[in-house]
Structure formats: C-alpha cells, structure tokens
C-alpha cells in the first residue's frame, strides 16, 4: 500500500459533505457534518439552523461540556452546569458523612458559599477548538513501515501535536482518530479543575429504581444534579481554592418548561464514548461468540468470589459495593448484548450489508488493488482477534488490583528514563496527576483478603483457558494460587502512602526492593511489553488498512446518497431524533412518557423504590406546580427518544427544536444495547429525564428556588 | 315488610327504561334495554338500530346461541356455529384417538358426511322467547313467610312456570332471577342435541400459549372452531342420528373480513355467567379477606396433593390433567382478583358509592322504612356470610369425588319419593340425563388412590378451621383420615357401571346396601339437608330484602340519569365498547392488536408455544391472503376491546357497527379480573380473536375452503 493511495483516499472529503438525506435518527455526528443533514433536520422539525449547530464556538454547542466520561451543559452565565445524578455521584459521596448524608438526603447549596468541593476527580472540559490534523499525523508515512513502527510514528506525531497545543497550560488537548484512522482531529479543551457541588436530589429520586431499573423502561428516575465551574480571579482555570470565582459561561442553555409531546423532534449533544458500527461480520461474531460469553463467565465468577469473600463482613461489603455495581452494570449490558444478538441476527444483517458492499466494490476500478485490500483487511483483523484473546487472558491471569498498581509504578519508572516527549502516552508528565489519583483512589475499594481471593480464583480460571489464548512465556512466571497470600504478606503496596511514595522512583530502586508484588510486576514486564508491542504492530496495521476500507465504505454509502458519521470516540457529537415509543414485542408498546403517578405505583418503601414523603405528598395532592403536561394530565418524569446515544452521553443535554434544554439523557432501554454494533431504529430508544420533572422536584420537593431563579426558564403560556 | 311495599317497588319499571346516557362501556344489558342506550350506541358509532338489537327474534340477536357455559353464533343457514376452540374442546377430545389425534393435528370435515358427533355434553340452546314473569313468581307471597318458606314457594312457582313451558319437549326453559330477585324472566330455548364437530385448528393454534398465556396479553391464540346443529328431518330437535339433517338457521351473522382498527366500536352478544356488581362493601371485604384467601390456600394445597399422588405415574397424571388445569385456572383468576383488590381498593370505592347512596336514601320519604330496610339488609347479609363459611368448610370436609357421587345418588333417591313437580330443582325427571352424564363423566378424571389422598388432606385442613366454621353435628360423623382407605375398599362406586346402576334405585335399598361410601353419604344426609335448608332460609330472606335494596339503588341511579343492568346470570346479554389499548402500569401500553409476527416471536417449538410449520411458513413468506391490515402491515391475531364480559362470554360473537362478525371473545386480561366486582374502564379489557386471523388460518394453513364458501364473507374493497 503506497502513501499515495492513502493520500488519494484522503482527498475526496466532499464524500463526507454530501447534502443527502440520512437514515432516520441514526448517527453520532461531528458538529461540522450537520449542514449535510439540513433537510433531515428540517424534516423532523428542527428550526435551529444546521450551520449554527455546526459551529462549536457558537450557541448552543459552546454550552455542551464534558465531565470526562459524562456529558453536561451550562445553564447560567455563572458556570452552573447540569448533569446526571450518577455523573456527580462521586462528588456527592465524597462530601457525605454520617452526620451529613447527602446521598440519602440530597444536597442543596442555598448560597454560593455553601457549594462544596466536588473533588479532584471532578473536572469540567469545555471544548473550544477542533482542527483537522490528518495531514500532520499521516502525511509522508513510509509505506514500508512495520505495524509497530507505523503505530509509534503516528503516536509520536500525535504527542507533538498535543505538546504544542498544551503550551497553554489552561488546556487539555487530544488527537483522537476518526473512522479508525482515516482522520485525526486535534481537540482543545479548557480544563476547569475547581468544580463544586451545587444541588443533588436525594438518591431515592436521583437513583430511583437503582440497579433493578438500570437499562429498563418504564423508568421514573430523577437522574440530575448541578455542579458549578470555578476559576481563578483572572478567569483562568486554577487549582481548587476558596478564592476562586464562578466561571463566566457567556453562553448557556435556556430551559424550556414547556417540554415535549410524543413525536416532537429533539437534538442531543454530548460526548459519546465508543461504538462499533463499522465492524466486519467476523468481528461481530467474535464478540458474540467469544468476547461476550467469556466476559459473562468471568464477571459472574468474580461476583461470586466477591460475595463469598465479603460475606458476613459489612465493612468489606461496602468497600466493594461500587465494584460489584460496576461489574453488575457491565454484566447486564453484556447480557443485553447477547440477548439482542439472540433476538436479531445482527451478524446476518452485517453479512448482507458486507456482501452488498463487496459487490459494489467489485464493480469499481482497481479490482486487483481492492482485492488485495480486502485480503489484507481479513488478515489484519484475524491477527487482531487472536491477540485480543491473549490480552484478555493476560488480564485475567494478572487480575490483582495490587499487581496492577505495581505494574503502573514500574512502567512509569521505565518511561521516566526517557525524555518526556518520547514517553508512552499515558505516562508523560501531563498524565502524572491522573496516575496519582488512580493509585490513591484504589483504597476506596480495596481489601487485601478480597483482592487475593479474586486473583486466586481468576488464576484458576485462566489455567483452564485454551492453550492458544495463553500469552507466550507467561505461565512460567505466574505464581501458584497457593503462593498468593505469601506475596501479599511480603508487599507494602496495600498501604496508600507507601504505594504513592513509589511514584517517580527509578526502576533500579524498584529492582532492588524486596516488595514481592513489585518484584512480580518487574518479572512480568517482558511479557506485558511483548503484548503491548504486538498490540502496536496489530494496531499499526489496522490503522493502515482500515482507513482504506472505510474510505471505500464511505464512497459506497455516498453512491447510495448517505453521509457517514464516524464511530463514537468520546468527542463532541450531535444526534437527533423524535420523542417516540417502541414495541419490545408484539402487542406491547412502551413509552414515550412516564409520570409522577408511576413513582407512587412503584414505591414500596424499600430501596431502591423508596420515595421521599414530600414527593409522594405533592403527587397525591396533585401539586403539579405548573409542570403538568396537558396530554398526560400530570407531570412527566422520563421519556424516550429515537436519538442515537451510547455510554458517555450520560448527562447530555436534550434540546427541543429551538435548542432549548428539555431534558437530560441518562440511559437507554435494554433492547437498545446492541446499538453499539447496529442501530435498529425500530427498537433503539434513549431514556431521558424530563425537564419538567427536574423543575417540579426543584420547586415542589427541594425548594431550590435560588437555582430556578438563576436559570433562564421559559414557561409555557398560561392556558385559560 | 308487606307485599304491598314489594309491589310498589315493582311498579315503576320505567326506571329501567330511562333513555339516559350510560357510563361508557360498562354493562351487560338485557337486549330489551338497548333502546335506553340509543344515544350511547350512536356516540360510539354503532349504526345498527337499538330497536332491532332489542328484539331477540330478529337479526342479529337470533343468531346468538348458548352452548351451556359458552356462547356461539350461527354463521350459515345450515346450522354452522362458530365458537371458541376451548368451548368445543370436549367434542374434539372425545373424537381423538392415537391414530386420529384431532387435538394435536386439528380436524376438518371436508363434507357434511365427515362431520363427527360432538357428544352428549355438547348441546346448542337457541333462545327464542323471553317473558317477564315477575308477577307470577312474586305476586301474593305472604309477608309472614319464613325465609325457607318463601324460598320454597318461589321455587315451586318457578317449577310450575318451567313445567308449563316444557310441555313442548323441544324446549328447555328457565326462570332466572334478575337484580337478585327483583325480576324474573322465563326464558325458552330450543335445545338442539345432535351437534357435530366441523372444524378445529390444531391445539397449537387454538390454544397457543396454553395455561401460561391464560388471562395474559400479549396473546396470539386462534381460539376458534366450528360446530353444526343437526335436527330431525321434521326440523325439530332429535337425539343424535345419522338420519338427522342440518338445522335450518334462517338468520346467521355475515362475516366482515374488513376487520376493525383501533377505536372502532364493537357489539358483543352472548351468555355471561355471573357478576357481583351490586354487592355491598361488606360482601367485597368478605370475598377479599376470607373467601378468596381460603380458596387460594385450599387450591394450592390440593394441587400439591394431586402432584404428589400422581407423581411418577403418567397415566394418573393424564387423568387429572384437566382437574389440575381447572384448579390452576381458578387459582390464577382468584390470585388475579386478590392482586386487583391489592392494586385498587375496590372496597373503598364501594364504600364511597355506598355512602353516597345512603346519603341519597336518607333524603327520600319513608325514612323509618328505609332505615329498617338497611338494617334488615345488613343482618341478612351477615347471616349469608356466616352460612357460606360453614358450607365452604362442609365442601372441604366432604371433598371426595366418590362421596359426592354417593350424595347425588342418595339425594336423587330421596327426591324420587315425591311427585316430580314437588322434587327439588336439579332432581326432577328433566334433570336425569344431566345427572347421568355427570356421574358417568367422573371416570374421565378419577383414580381411587388420588381421590383418597385429596380427601385425606382436605379433611386434615378442615380440622384446622375455626370452630365457628364447622357445621353443627358434622365433625362426629366424619371418618378419621386413616379410615379413608378402608371406606374406598368397601365401596363399588368407583366402578362406573355399578355407580350408574344406582340411579333410580330407592332410598331403602341404599340404606340396606353395604357400600361404605354410600352409607357415609346417608349418615351425612341430615347435616347436608340442614345446610341446604338454612341456605333456603337465608336465600329466602335475601330474595325478600335485596330486591327492595336494588329498587332503591335503581331509583338512586335514575336520579343520576343512569340506567341499570342486572348482574350477569347466564342469560342472553349485549355489551358494547371500542377496540382499545390499556396501560397496565405507568410508561407501558398494551394492545389493541397482536400480529402473526408475534406468533413467530413467541414460538419456541415447545408446547404451548409450538406452531405448525405451515403457519410459520405462511408468515415468513408474508402470504397474508388478503387479510393484511393496512395500519399493522400484517395479519392481526387477537385484539382488545373495552366491552364488559365475564365467564360464559367465551365464544361470544364480536360484531362491528353493522352487526357483522369481526371476531370471537375468548378471554380477558389479568388486570381485568376484578371486573366481576367492579368495572374499571381504565384497565378492563376483553381479549378477542380477530376474524381476519380465523379466515387467514382457514385459507392459508388449513385450507377450509368449504367453510369459507359456506359462510357469507364481505371482503374489503381492493386498494389500488
């Protein structure tokens, strides 16, 4: 493959700019793409001009922020940010004590002075610049490079692009790839590091239904809370300090208390994490038949081990509650994926799309080149899958939280032997504070005995894996299951202060230490690096081949009149859709709205279905506070839309046709889970909390009048 | 209470004739009442004149027949009758053999000659005359009668009315009471006793979903089949004979293949069994807190005993399959009632209605009389409830199928000592064939060991009941649980021939027999008769007081502009409603239609979700045979309506606004079960099989072209 052919692929960007109708509701669009979808946006009833939406420095896109893993938006000029309750959960938790249990009771700062530090993990990123840097990343790469060399050269160029950008210390910059390496954009984000908790309803509102209702509909969850961005007196990001002042967010979303009705169009903007919409059928089968079933088996076994190990010890149970919650969440999602694959043969759908594509490709010029491309693609993907199996097995074999910490520390020491610019991404100077936070945070969910039990069981499961999955040379280095207790006894890494003390120490002093876990990490380094380097080789090859494939796919879609959006990659995206019910099975329709009466219906008084008395009273007395929906006759709580979302879209602003805030995204239905692979418009629905419920809770239950006053709320015209 | 006051109550019949709007969709109306509902029928869109519907000798009401427990209707001039699959199940079963399994494979007579005898239990009743005989039943009854005397006098008058009517042997006559004794109508029915099985789809269509889907929605059950009425060559009912000819049903329902859409009006005509809409709050609480929980406990325990007793014996299991099915059905219904009472406090609703009524009554003239009436009512109902507890306990204590047979035989012998006209209803000459059939049928679901085990366990449960529930003198007469096996050994009643041989024998020869079970029945006679006589006393009092209460209720309703329908009593009724979905809980809507694709969705290949290949193929190939619904894009299977139905309405014709057949009623949703007590228009839905599904199965799956040709089917105008 010559660089020329790659360049040729990169030239016709017009492909992405075609103004042709998109397939309804599917797509996580880069803002700049929206003018391509003009007629589609108009068709569903969006009145805000596509050109305006396309400019991330203009309203409303300049109000959409990232919390790193969650999305949010500004709702006042004073840096007030609204997001999900579950996105601010860490901030609520860290401020909660037995005396002031803000999880159980909610929290409301009546004045700015009462706002509480959200903690060092709570950052707000404001995207302010997006540049296409594809040329600077890819131009002139030699065709003769190995996969690893290519990967490393691309990595180095990206690091250079980031370093340039981060000259201004107020910013955090990233250069993610789009279309699996076809394009690269440099994204500059103002990183606000003094964030405070302003308001969160009680967990029995914010997490009503808890894990039981997770991914489910009907849903009646008030999954919202408010944070505020603070900066130094100079208006620039600053370390947390009482002297800081609210960030001046000159643009913010106007809130529409009018809400929506069934069929209304919506816009949704946020930072979706990952999707895999352009994977090949073989990759889907690999996930369906290998990755997911193995994950389910591992997670199920791990949950059993945790349950056994923490049994009868309430404190240990609490320590692992979040771990269990997170595994359960992953398990439910993966089970949903498997159920979905079972319900609809997505691989077969992809087969027929793939066949259609290949037929089209066969009719294009350069047959020999195209054939070679497809053969190359198949080979690279086969290598990717085989390596993934070994990486996954390696993770199982080394699944000790303590060992992972040791690995991080040693790897950091090795990288610090190089000049900063040459260090592996993730181990540079700019990453140190994150590493430190991660190594520090471990203590919140770590008990040595439980960690040992989990690792021991995982090691035994690893031994039963097929030989081809075992990474070369690993088995001989692994401890015997019975030796694990001894290793932990001879390690001090479980002590947070001692663990953190290793940060920045050199590799030599580690080699000399008698910490048994650290010694094991050093011993495993060759295997780990070998896997990492093989990953770079495979990734380099993927990044070489996939973009050519994607280029062909884009051309094929263009021939059908369809623009193409890149897979989600945690960058700012816009999706749109309509408020819509769906039919999970014949004879049943779900949604689009739930109502406050549904809360009463579900309330049992037992967590997660316990509701505050003030809320139940307001419902029983029909104190709807002006937020009654005419069609429903009551206050709506959650609603469904056909918008295209994924993890990372939590907290995303749901806007009406004029770009006014009408809700927050917080989940999607169980039947939708397979959308990460294939967007089925018939059943894919995102779950949003209705702005009217938020405003109603603020007014009737929590009396957050200060915030209601601070926001700009458009109330519907009073009916006679 | 003087007869005069009773007479006064009976005079203003105009109350029932008020032409005022009814509460939407509630009501099982006597046909003659329909002109009162004229504006309501018009409002929902019924175009067939109410006056026409009121005349049971005119189309369409003269096409609606009873199968005794089920409803049906004529669909050709040659006596072709359509009803539910589950209503014709006995006929299908009795003709099925290992070689010709019509349950598993379905049955279709391609010619009249191939039609199979439906058996002596399968009768068709054509109502041809309904007379108000209230005067003849009640006039001149002395006010000084005891309850039992009153009951017996009423009974005797009724028997006289029936005997007169049955002078013509072609007819079966009944004199049911309406409004719990306020009115009596004599109903004359042509009784056709040569009925043949014409067509039934396979059970996997006719009972798709089986017990699992019973009372459930979504539903995709093809619960339909066809019978034919045969009469002698003279056109009059005759015993089954090959010489008989099809009954000439000069009127029949035209079939509309056009079907219905959401919101369309429907009419539903049939023979609903029992409802309790006018019971007092105290009666509802008694059912909710005593009768139903006790029934659930008894049924659950009994099912356990049957399961234990038949365990490992496949043949015994089969023998009790229908018993288990029937208990399960009752259990699910009762559980549904308890769930419903739990979900909605119907007693409280009735409390407030009752309070409203009493307030109104207090403002009426004759305060002293009215107060006395209400006090009388409370006392009589208290007596009724106390007696019910003892009767129920008696039934538990004597719950041996064999003992019940012995009781029937001995009671018959005692009654036969009297002239026929004086015998207890149910033991007259006219009842003999039914008694014989019942005593004969026992063998289909009887195994001595199982019957002993059930009785033994029931006796032990009886012993644990509160002392007040034990009928006086009973306990000393009951056998010890350990003595049961001995009793069965010393009885020959388990032998069908020997059991039947006792029919017509005199009481003396029974007293002399050494059959232990028969002897026990004789020994228990005094207690049984005492309960029966106490029941007559209570019923006589109820029949004296309740009509006065109902009269007041009717006047009260009239003051609100509402006509009143009597509780269902297995007589011909008409109900109406619209095709309508419902919301079982917040955020979910169910119905109104299911589709053939839903069958594919549910099909697992395992009973009760196994579907015939021919059906699945037709669906997969989208061979919709002209029965595709435009809105659904496919063939509808079942649909919901808001019509007011109950047990006995199975097989009822569902008609469109013009009185054309568009479906058959066969079930109602789980949430509707409490409708027997209280009709909640928000959630009460009847489940119907769509005519288009029936016709589609007949055309595409079973090729019942002869029947499609025999019926008069109106097909929709072809769309371009």
């Amino acid at each position: 493959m010559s660089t020329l052919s790659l360049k040729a692929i990169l030239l016709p960007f017009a492909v992405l700019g075609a103004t042709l109708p998109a397939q309804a509701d599917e797509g996580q669009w880069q803002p700049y793409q929206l003018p391509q979808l003009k007629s589609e946006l108009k068709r569903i009833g969006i009145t805000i001009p596509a050109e305006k939406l396309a400019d991330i420095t203009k309203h409303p896109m300049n109000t959409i922020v990232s919390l790193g893993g969650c999305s949010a938006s500004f709702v006042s000029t004073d840096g007030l940010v609204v997001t999900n309750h579950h996105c601010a959960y860490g901030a609520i938790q860290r401020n909660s004590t037995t005396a002031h249990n803000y999880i159980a009771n909610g929290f409301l700062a009546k004045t700015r002075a009462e706002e509480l530090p959200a903690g060092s993990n709570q950052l707000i990123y404001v995207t302010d610049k997006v540049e296409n840097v594809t040329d600077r990343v890819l131009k002139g790469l030699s065709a003769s490079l190995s996969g690893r060399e290519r990967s490393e050269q691309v990595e180095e160029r990206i690091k250079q692009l980031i370093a340039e950008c981060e000259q201004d210390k107020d910013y955090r910059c990233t250069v993610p790839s789009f279309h699996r390496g076809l394009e690269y954009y440099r994204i500059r984000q103002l990183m606000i590091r003094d964030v405070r908790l302003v308001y969160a309803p009680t967990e029995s509102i914010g997490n009503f239904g808890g894990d039981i209702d997770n991914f489910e509909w009907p849903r009646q969850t008030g999954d919202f809370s408010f944070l505020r961005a603070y900066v130094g007196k100079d208006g620039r990001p600053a370390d947390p300090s009482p002297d800081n002042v609210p960030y001046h967010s000159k643009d913010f979303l106007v809130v529409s208390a009018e809400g929506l009705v069934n069929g209304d169009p919506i816009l949704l903007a946020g930072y979706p994490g990952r999707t895999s919409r352009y994977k090949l059928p073989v990759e889907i089968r690999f996930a369906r038949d290998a990755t997911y079933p193995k994950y389910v088996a591992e997670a199920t076994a791990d949950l059993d081990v945790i349950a056994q190990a923490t049994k009868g010890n309430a404190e240990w149970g609490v320590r692992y509650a979040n771990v269990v919650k997170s595994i359960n969440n992953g398990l439910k999602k993966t089970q949903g994926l498997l159920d979905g694959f079972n319900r609809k043969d997505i691989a077969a759908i992809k087969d027929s799309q793939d066949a259609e594509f290949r037929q089209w490709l066969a009719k294009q010029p350069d047959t020999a080149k195209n054939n070679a491309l497809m053969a190359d693609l198949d080979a690279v993907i086969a290598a990717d899958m085989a390596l993934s199996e070994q990486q996954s097995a390696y993770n199982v074999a080394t699944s000790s939280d303590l060992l992972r910490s040791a690995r991080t520390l040693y790897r950091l020491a090795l990288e610090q032997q190089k000049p900063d610019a040459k260090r592996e991404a993730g181990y540079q100077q700019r990453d140190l504070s994150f590493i430190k936070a991660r190594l520090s945070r471990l203590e919140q969910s770590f008990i040595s005995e439980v960690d040992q039990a989990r690792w021991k069981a995982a090691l035994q499961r690893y031994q039963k894996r097929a030989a081809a999955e075992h990474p070369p040379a690993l088995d001989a280095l692994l401890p015997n299951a019975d030796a694990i207790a001894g290793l932990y006894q001879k390690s001090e890494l479980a002590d947070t202060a001692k663990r953190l003390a290793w940060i920045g120490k050199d590799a030599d002093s580690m080699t000399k230490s008698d910490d048994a876990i650290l010694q094991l990490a050093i011993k495993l380094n060759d295997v780990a690096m070998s896997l990492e380097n093989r990953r770079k080789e495979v990734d380099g090859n993927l990044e070489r081949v996939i973009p050519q494939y994607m280029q062909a796919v884009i051309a094929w879609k263009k021939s059908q009149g369809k623009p193409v959006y890149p897979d989600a990659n945690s960058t700012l995206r816009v999706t749109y859709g309509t408020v819509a019910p769906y039919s999970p099975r014949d004879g049943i329709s779900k949604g689009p709205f739930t109502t406050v009466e549904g809360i009463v219906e579900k309330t049992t008084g037992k967590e997660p279905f316990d509701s505050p008395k003030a809320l139940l009273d307001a419902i029983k007395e029909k104190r709807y506070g002006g937020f009654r929906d005419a069609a429903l006759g009551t206050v709506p709580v959650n609603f469904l839309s056909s918008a295209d979302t994924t993890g990372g879209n939590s907290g995303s602003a749901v806007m009406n046709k004029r770009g006014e805030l009408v809700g927050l995204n917080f989940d999607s239905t169980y039947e939708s889970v397979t959308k990460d692979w294939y967007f089925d418009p018939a059943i894919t629905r995102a779950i949003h909390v209705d702005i009217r419920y938020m405003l109603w809770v603020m007014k009737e239950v929590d009396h957050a009048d200060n915030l209601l006053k601070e926001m700009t709320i458009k109330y519907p015209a009073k009916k006679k």
Side-chain angles (χ1 to χ4, degrees), chain A:
Chain A
M1 204 53 45
S2 73
T3 45
L4 194 68
S5 80
L6 187 57
K7 220 177 136 193
I9 286 167
L10 294 173
L11 284 177
F13 266 126
V15 170
L16 298 167
T19 52
L20 292 158
Q23 187 177 325
D25 306 349
E26 175 175 352
Q28 293 162 332
W29 304 94
Q30 291 175 270
Y32 88 85
Q33 293 185 291
L34 292 171
Q36 304 166 34
L37 299 156
K38 217 168 173 168
S39 61
E40 183 62 11
L41 292 171
K42 197 176 163 189
R43 188 186 62 77
I44 67 164
I46 302 289
T47 58
I48 184 168
E51 289 75 11
K52 201 178 165 204
L53 280 172
D55 189 341
I56 63 153
T57 66
K58 291 225 172 76
H59 190 277
M61 293 306 289
N62 60 355
T63 68
I64 308 299
V65 301
S66 167
L67 303 181
C70 273
S71 304
S73 46
F74 285 121
V75 284
S76 88
T77 51
D78 287 345
L80 187 65
V81 151
V82 65
T83 188
N84 288 153
H85 185 273
H86 79 263
C87 293
Y89 193 77
I92 307 166
Q93 194 175 34
R94 80 181 290 282
N95 284 295
S96 290
T97 59
T98 318
H100 298 286
N101 190 340
Y102 300 134
I103 296 173
N105 305 321
F107 170 78
L108 173 64
K110 279 286 191 183
T111 64
R112 302 271 158 96
E114 288 173 23
E115 296 176 356
L116 295 170
S120 57
N121 291 319
Q122 190 69 77
L123 302 165
I124 293 177
Y125 301 90
V126 189
T127 301
D128 86 330
K129 202 169 177 186
V130 176
E131 303 159 88
N132 186 335
V133 292
T134 312
D135 263 11
R136 287 193 55 190
V137 175
L138 299 179
K139 204 173 185 174
L141 284 178
S142 160
S144 61
L145 295 175
S146 75
R148 182 175 162 190
E149 287 163 347
R150 190 184 189 284
S151 183
E152 286 176 344
Q153 285 200 19
V154 165
E155 185 64 34
E156 201 164 311
R157 291 177 178 195
I158 287 175
K159 279 190 283 191
Q160 177 54 34
L161 282 161
I162 290 173
E164 264 175 30
C165 177
E166 290 185 352
Q167 293 290 321
D168 186 333
K169 295 290 167 213
D170 295 345
Y171 295 101
R172 179 103 187 145
C173 304
T174 52
V175 181
S177 95
F178 291 72
H179 296 298
R180 298 178 84 177
L182 176 60
E183 295 175 59
Y184 290 84
Y185 285 81
R186 179 162 64 185
I187 291 161
R188 191 175 81 159
Q189 297 180 306
L190 192 73
M191 184 169 76
I192 296 173
R193 46 192 200 274
D194 186 351
V195 178
R196 303 194 194 162
L197 180 63
V198 177
Y199 164 56
T202 156
E203 189 181 29
S204 61
I205 291 175
N207 191 26
F208 184 72
D211 280 353
I212 297 173
D213 271 4
N214 191 17
F215 289 119
E216 299 291 342
W217 180 273
R219 194 70 163 276
Q220 293 89 358
T221 310
D223 197 351
F224 68 95
S225 51
F226 288 81
L227 302 171
R228 194 184 302 278
Y230 277 78
V231 288
K233 290 214 168 81
D234 58 358
R236 303 179 61 179
D239 283 335
S241 155
D243 296 336
N244 287 342
V245 296
Y247 170 72
H248 179 64
S249 41
K250 68 177 197 304
D251 268 315
F252 60 88
L253 291 179
V254 167
V255 170
S256 165
E258 205 175 343
L260 301 169
V261 299
N262 187 18
D264 272 354
I266 65 143
L267 284 166
L268 191 152
Y271 291 80
R274 290 268 161 254
T275 52
S276 306
R277 298 271 170 80
Y278 303 101
K279 294 248 167 161
L280 283 107
V282 66
E283 294 178 283
I284 289 174
R285 291 202 167 83
F286 178 64
R288 183 191 70 186
D289 303 333
T291 315
Y292 292 153
K294 279 177 191 164
Y295 171 82
V296 167
E298 282 295 329
T300 307
D302 195 23
L303 284 174
D304 278 353
V305 172
I306 295 174
Q308 275 300 323
T310 58
K311 199 173 172 178
N313 191 321
E315 199 215 314
W316 292 11
V318 167
R319 202 71 73 88
Y320 276 84
N322 264 332
V323 174
V324 166
K325 188 175 168 149
S326 154
I327 298 174
N328 265 323
N329 188 56
L331 200 53
K332 190 161 186 180
K333 174 156 183 175
T334 310
Q335 198 55 60
L337 282 159
L338 289 172
D339 284 355
F341 282 132
N342 202 33
R343 208 168 39 237
K344 192 153 198 163
D345 192 348
I346 292 174
I349 294 171
K350 291 280 181 176
D351 275 341
S352 79
Q353 291 176 347
D354 187 57
E356 209 187 310
F357 165 68
R358 285 176 199 250
Q359 270 172 28
W360 172 86
L361 191 64
K363 287 181 209 138
Q364 307 308 308
D366 296 324
T367 310
K369 200 189 77 184
N370 289 335
N371 286 347
L373 166 66
M374 295 311 286
D376 204 0
L377 182 70
D378 291 344
V380 174
I381 283 171
D384 177 37
M385 294 188 299
L387 178 58
S388 295
E389 292 267 63
Q390 291 196 357
Q391 288 186 298
S392 150
Y394 176 84
N395 289 337
V396 172
T398 60
S399 66
S400 144
D401 280 336
L402 216 55
L403 181 58
R404 264 191 284 264
S405 298
R407 167 77 192 142
T408 301
L409 290 167
Y410 186 60
R411 186 72 208 279
L412 181 64
L414 292 178
E415 290 299 327
Q416 288 186 333
Q417 294 169 351
K418 310 175 195 167
D420 194 59
K422 295 283 177 193
R423 289 178 197 162
E424 182 73 14
Y427 295 93
Q428 293 179 288
Q429 203 55 38
R430 67 194 280 274
D431 303 309
L432 264 186
S433 63
F434 295 97
I435 290 177
K436 197 173 164 182
R438 206 162 66 236
L439 288 175
S440 165
R441 206 160 54 226
L442 176 64
E443 66 183 15
Q444 294 169 16
S445 52
F446 178 85
I447 296 292
S448 180
E449 287 83 348
V450 181
D451 201 42
Q452 291 173 44
R454 294 176 74 191
W455 187 18
K456 190 171 169 178
L459 256 181
Q460 287 161 345
R461 295 195 300 272
Y462 166 78
Q463 301 300 353
K464 290 186 192 130
R465 294 219 169 187
E469 294 180 33
H470 288 227
L474 176 62
D475 293 13
L477 304 175
L478 291 172
N480 205 303
D482 299 329
I484 287 178
L487 291 176
Y488 277 66
Q489 267 166 24
K490 281 178 254 148
S491 173
E492 296 186 324
L493 292 182
D495 181 314
T496 300
K498 291 185 175 156
R499 189 167 64 242
L500 295 179
W502 280 109
I503 294 177
K505 293 268 172 70
D506 62 37
D508 258 8
S509 57
M510 290 186 187
T511 311
K512 282 176 202 144
S513 103
D514 55 2
D515 191 292
I517 297 285
L518 200 51
Q519 283 306 322
L520 179 61
I522 295 168
K523 204 164 73 172
L524 289 172
N525 185 55
D526 286 351
V527 176
M529 288 313 299
S530 157
L531 283 170
E532 234 185 272
N533 290 331
R534 285 168 63 202
R535 171 48 61 199
K536 281 184 184 170
E537 176 67 22
V538 168
D539 282 355
N541 286 326
L542 286 168
E543 283 159 19
R544 178 176 50 79
V545 180
I546 299 262
Q548 300 172 61
Y549 166 71
M550 281 309 300
Q551 179 71 357
V553 167
I554 289 165
W556 169 56
K557 290 276 183 186
K558 188 192 175 188
S559 76
Q560 300 176 329
K562 289 178 187 154
V564 173
Y565 59 91
D567 266 321
N569 59 357
S570 297
T571 61
L572 182 56
R573 302 293 179 94
V574 178
T575 166
Y576 57 85
T578 51
V579 178
Y582 76 106
S583 173
R585 55 196 176 104
D586 185 42
I588 293 188
S589 172
K590 288 185 158 193
F593 287 97
T594 54
T595 67
V596 288
E597 278 69 21
I599 299 172
V600 179
E601 206 175 284
K602 258 191 199 172
T603 296
T604 60
K606 263 184 70 180
E607 206 188 340
F609 296 107
D610 49 340
S611 297
K613 190 177 177 303
L615 178 125
L616 295 175
D617 285 349
I619 299 167
K620 276 172 200 158
E621 293 159 21
K622 297 187 190 295
R623 277 189 274 117
Y624 295 149
F627 302 108
R628 180 180 168 279
D629 177 273
L632 302 169
T634 181
V635 181
V637 178
N638 292 160
F639 65 99
L640 298 174
S641 87
S642 59
D644 187 352
T645 61
T646 192
N649 270 126
S650 280
S652 289
V654 180
M655 295 170 278
N656 66 12
K657 61 184 177 182
R658 291 181 297 272
E660 295 156 354
L661 189 71
V662 287
L664 298 180
N665 182 65
F666 73 97
D667 202 1
S668 55
T669 61
Y670 190 73
E671 294 84 359
S672 303
V673 172
T674 46
K675 70 185 166 186
D676 283 357
W677 292 92
Y678 169 73
F679 188 94
D680 181 348
I683 56 155
T684 304
R685 293 296 179 270
I687 306 179
H688 314 306
V689 53
D690 195 294
I691 195 77
R692 291 166 288 186
Y693 181 60
M694 292 166 55
L695 297 174
W696 178 78
V697 168
M698 292 170 81
K699 182 174 173 186
E700 293 292 331
V701 182
D702 287 337
H703 310 293
D705 307 311
N706 51 327
L707 300 180
L708 291 171
K709 208 174 149 193
E710 180 177 347
M711 294 189 289
T712 302
I713 305 174
K714 274 175 62 177
Y715 290 94
K718 276 272 188 314
K719 302 256 171 21
K720 293 284 143 59

